[in-house]
């Protein structure tokens, strides 16, 4: 998800960053899997972060990770602009595991050779183990690993030996035991690699000698202590959206600083039916955290009068949000700090970027301008407190659950900042919002009733501005169609339409046409992303 960068990065001390946390650093050479490697490491209860491949040996030495992983990447080590690492890294005495391109770079820099393979190897391959100790402990002989490479190692640097091979790749796993340098030609981080996680655990625990210090409970204790240290007795403002990130943030801050925290909920009027009321009730009655409710529905609606262009809608909603936010924070303030639900994927350089094959540089990709409660401008007079900036989304959920958030928030499907406004194609009016809210409620009710909630990433209705003819009883109707959008996804970056049962579709279609005035037709969107996007605007 694209988010606006932090207001002022240097003001943002990250709670949870205490020096006692052991870490494994991933140097990112442009692989689409760099972030995934970090997540796999964290699953072993050891903290891991992704840094650009240019990170110097001096900086690494200062951070003192227990181990370093070189990611894969799209380049060939012989390309003119192939990304290189600081050669001093080999002298740090820190264990290194090179993955795919990372292994080839290690081999080349240490005096071995890499050449274009006779046959590129993509997909599954059986790993034949020559030395079952060390990195390959508990990795089964013949175990499937995921390959994706055009170059191969042809000569090992001195001090290295082979630990495993495949039919096509003689040196599929290599090691210099003395210097604790390791390389794998496959991708242990992807799910198709059967014993990939066992290999990662071996690196983390046997080779780097880490201890399991990255646990939810330990994170919460540290985050609360760090928040207290950072903000002292100063006042903090938090804009609540009702999603898992801002709710978890509210809980953590409330635990840390009690009533020095002010939560504010700006109701733009684009939320789903009953959601604003539900959110206010939950926080007030069940969590005993007071929330300032800001009713701004008419303001937003009047801004959108006659607006049909999707980007213009997003821009106007984003602007209005900032204006309401500024007014309300002045009214409720003054505040010293603003709490933001920035997550780790928003912080690392590789998020939302692609590698430019010509220059080897990462370039930003922008399809839509996203808006959310973090989308505030850089010049606001606040310092930032961002306790979640080290966490992946699944880790936020674990924290949320551990501090007592109910499942309805912890597992809530993603919901866009501009809400229903970008699910109404054409002009957004009060009447059309009501139509969509009613149709959307039926989709949600049936998704829950038929036990499909956890099987889909998102499910919602979209209202079209066109009309078509229908018949109800003996009457001709001429009304709007509603589109059902149900998708499955891992991260929202790609998605497929969800194969839900016909019975579900039948019930939803019947109910919408019968119960929602103004709708006489229901259609199903069966477009994947790409080429479609999840939202219609
Ligand atoms: P698209 O439509 O780009 O959506 O395929 C990908 C994911 O992002 C969500 N989305 C947003 N989330 N602010 C948000 O916080 C936004 O402006 C926004 N626009 C889209 C969308 O619901 C999906 O999960």
């Amino acid at each position: 998800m694209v988010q606006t960068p932090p207001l002022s990065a240097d003001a943002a001390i990250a709670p949870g960053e205490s020096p006692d946390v052991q870490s494994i650093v991933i140097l990112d050479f442009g692989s689409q899997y760099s972030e995934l490697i970090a997540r796999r490491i964290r699953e072993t209860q050891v903290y891991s972060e992704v840094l650009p491949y240019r990170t110097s040996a001096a900086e690494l030495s200062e951070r003192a990770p227990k181990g370093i992983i070189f990611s894969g990447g799209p380049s060939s080590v012989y390309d003119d602009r192939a990304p290189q690492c600081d050669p001093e890294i080999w002298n740090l005495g820190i264990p290194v595991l090179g993955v795919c391109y990372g292994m080839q770079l290690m081999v080349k820099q240490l005096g071995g050779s890499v050449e274009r393979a006779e046959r590129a190897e993509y997909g599954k391959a059986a790993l034949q183990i020559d030395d079952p100790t060390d990195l390959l402990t508990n990795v089964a002989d013949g175990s499937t690993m995921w390959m994706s490479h055009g170059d191969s190692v042809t000569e090992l640097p001195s001090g290295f030996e082979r630990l495993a091979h495949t039919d096509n790749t003689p040196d599929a796993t290599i090691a210099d035991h003395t210097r604790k340098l390791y390389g794998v030609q496959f991708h242990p981080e992807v799910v198709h690699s059967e014993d990939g996680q066992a290999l990662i655990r071996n690196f983390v625990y046997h080779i780097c000698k880490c201890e399991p210090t990255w646990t939810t409970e330990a994170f919460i204790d540290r985050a609360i202590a760090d928040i207290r240290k950072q903000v002292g007795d100063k006042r903090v403002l938090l804009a609540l959206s009702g999603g898992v990130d801002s709710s978890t943030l509210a809980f953590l801050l409330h635990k840390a600083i009690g009533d020095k925290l002010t939560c504010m909920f700006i109701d733009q009027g684009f939320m789903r039916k009953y959601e604003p009321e539900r959110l206010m009730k939950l926080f007030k009655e069940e969590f005993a955290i007071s929330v300032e409710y800001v009713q701004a529905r008419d303001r937003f609606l009047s801004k959108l009068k006659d607006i049909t262009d999707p980007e213009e809608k997003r821009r106007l909603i984003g602007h209005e949000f900032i204006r309401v936010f500024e007014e309300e924070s002045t009214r409720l303030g003054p505040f010293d700090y603003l709490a933001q639900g920035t997550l780790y994927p928003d912080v690392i350089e590789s998020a939302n970027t692609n590698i430019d094959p010509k220059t080897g540089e990462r370039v930003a990709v922008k399809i839509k301008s996203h808006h959310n409660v973090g989308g505030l401008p850089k010049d606001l007079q606040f310092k930032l407190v961002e306790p979640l900036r080290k966490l992946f989304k699944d880790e936020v959920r674990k924290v949320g659950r551990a501090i007592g958030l109910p499942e309805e928030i912890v597992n809530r499907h993603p919901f866009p900042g501009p809400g229903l406004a970008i699910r109404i194609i054409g002009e957004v009016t009060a009447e059309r919002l009501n139509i969509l809210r009613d149709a959307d409620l039926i989709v949600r009710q049936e998704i829950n009733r038929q036990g499909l909630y956890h099987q889909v990433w998102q499910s919602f209705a979209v209202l079209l501005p066109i009309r078509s003819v229908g018949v109800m009883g003996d009457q001709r109707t001429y009304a709007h169609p509603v589109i059902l959008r149900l998708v499955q996804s891992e991260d929202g970056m790609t998605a497929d339409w969800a194969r839900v049962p016909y019975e579900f579709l039948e019930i939803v279609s019947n109910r919408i046409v019968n119960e929602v005035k103004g709708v006489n037709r229901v259609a199903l969107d069966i477009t994947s992303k790409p080429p479609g996007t999840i939202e219609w605007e």
Side-chain angles (χ1 to χ4, degrees), residues 1 314 368 370-372 414 416-418 458 492 529 533-535:
M1 184 193 301
R314 284 174 171 271
K368 297 177 185 180
H370 278 205
H371 150 70
N372 44 43
Q458 272 171 294
K529 172 183 178 177
T533 52
I534 296 176
E535 304 291 345

